[in-house]
Amino acid sequence: MQAQGEAKKTTLTITDNRTGKSYEVPIENDTIRAIDLRQIKVNPDDFGMMTYDPAFMNTASCKSKITFIDGDKGILRYRGYPIEQLAEKCSYLEVAYLLLYGELPNKTQLADWSTHITTHTFVHENMKKLMDGFHHDAHPMGMFIGGLAALSTFYPSAKHIEDKKERELTFYRLIGKAPTLSAYAYRHSIGMPYVHPDNELSYAANFLSMMFRIAEPKYKPHPALEKALDVLFILHADHEQNCSANAMRGVGSSHVDPYSAAAAAAAALYGPLHGGANEAVLRMLDEIGSKDKIPAFIKEVKEGKGRLMGFGHRIYKNYDPRASIIKKLADQVFEVTGRNPKLDIALELERIALQDDYFVKRKLYPNVDFYSGLIYQAMKFPVDLFPVLFAIGRMSGWLAQWAEMLDDADQKIARPRQVYLGYVTRDVPAMNQRG
Ligand code: ACO
């Protein structure tokens, strides 16, 4: 126990049992710097101690002021604001501004910001030719990633990443054009003409217009669907150091232009372990087919024959707060679209799983993907487009993470170490001596 008057030591003492030597390293924010371990050596010419941490299970790669998650309590906050309040009281563009600039915009700032985004939704006509070049059944996420990378060739001055004006232009362009690229990818896949952005519509409504407008002189989505999509963008906007944010930071740390870094982040999101799980939930619900088949399905999951998709999370060991919001949102959407019949299966699955010892013991709760796919499907988005919808919302988070990384004096080009376990050295044998 700490004696009265004695200053609390914020250091960690490590004893190396190989040598009997002790080292004292400073603790800051409950972490030690891995580089402080380098002094721990058996011989003076040793490289020094490192940590081994595949998948960054216990390594903070940065300091951040953007997003806070407490996975045990089911808390998610952007810049200190609870996700529940942001989803209820703000628009996606307000949240994007908050993530990028640290504060919610006032009325004038929001008007300016919305104008900037809206006037950057158009893409160069050559982007249409690029989209046309894809095969008719190309996956929209592949087209979206290709489109983002291509944008870097249209805006070469964006490589001046230290120029704050250029950076801001990139924010407008990437947030503005992400829905346009996504909708173009979809329209190409169904052989329909591309729909130009409509600058009089909100961010979400314009996206729905570019997706679904056919011959209407003016496309006006149902306000409940427009609001639901906007909330889904908010819920997906950032999630601290996830796989795609880490890709954005890692690739951006080479000081490549932000369009190329965003393409890399989108590629990370494409993977089924990251942005593709909501699609897997729908396929699972289809496979189950009816409520009476649920007990047999749960039994198989418990026997290790597959997973309950949309359940469990690396960070959340409680109900994912985004899943609670989406569950409520689903009711509002289904009032307009009609009930997605898979919802009954999903609700029953959740009810049974949350009472089952297997799931309770492992703290497996519904995550953001459990209900989002049902809403997307009810709104007529094809399953292939789900990761693209995720990417539209996440664009503001990627940009916020990227800008924070560039302004952080601690950051350098990302370059992990390895534990080399291969041959020490050997001579190259002649061809006739190789096995
Ligand atoms: N269904 C059944 N069992 C599960 C599930 C699940 N969905 N998730 C975890 N488990 C079990 C594991 O089998 C393991 O059991 P064991 O201790 O008996 O071996 C235990 O729970 C811990 O699982 P891990 O795989 O170690 O947990 P991890 O944190 O590595 O995985 C993950 C998290 C990938 C999300 C996992 O829960 C999963 O595969 N869920 C289904 C896919 C999914 O919904 N992904 C979306 C995540 S949200 C997002 O990325 C936006």
Side-chain angles (χ1 to χ4, degrees), residues 96-154:
Y97 184 99
L98 170 72
L99 290 170
L100 286 159
Y101 299 101
E103 295 298 336
L104 283 166
N106 62 29
K107 214 173 164 188
T108 320
Q109 288 165 332
L110 179 60
D112 285 351
W113 172 242
S114 303
T115 304
H116 284 309
I117 301 294
T118 308
T119 50
H120 285 86
T121 49
F122 277 70
V123 293
H124 193 286
E125 284 294 292
N126 286 354
M127 285 299 288
K128 291 185 182 168
K129 293 185 197 152
L130 180 87
M131 289 287 158
D132 285 342
F134 284 102
H135 204 252
H136 69 91
D137 60 356
H139 194 288
M141 194 62 175
M143 297 170 77
F144 181 74
I145 295 166
L148 288 178
L151 284 181
S152 78
T153 66
F154 289 90

Side-chain angles (χ1 to χ4, degrees), residues 25-46:
V25 296
I27 298 175
E28 196 191 331
N29 303 314
D30 291 331
T31 61
I32 58 163
R33 285 188 178 249
I35 198 73
D36 286 340
L37 302 178
R38 195 68 77 70
Q39 59 184 309
I40 303 176
K41 299 176 178 190
V42 175
N43 299 303
D45 55 352
D46 280 354

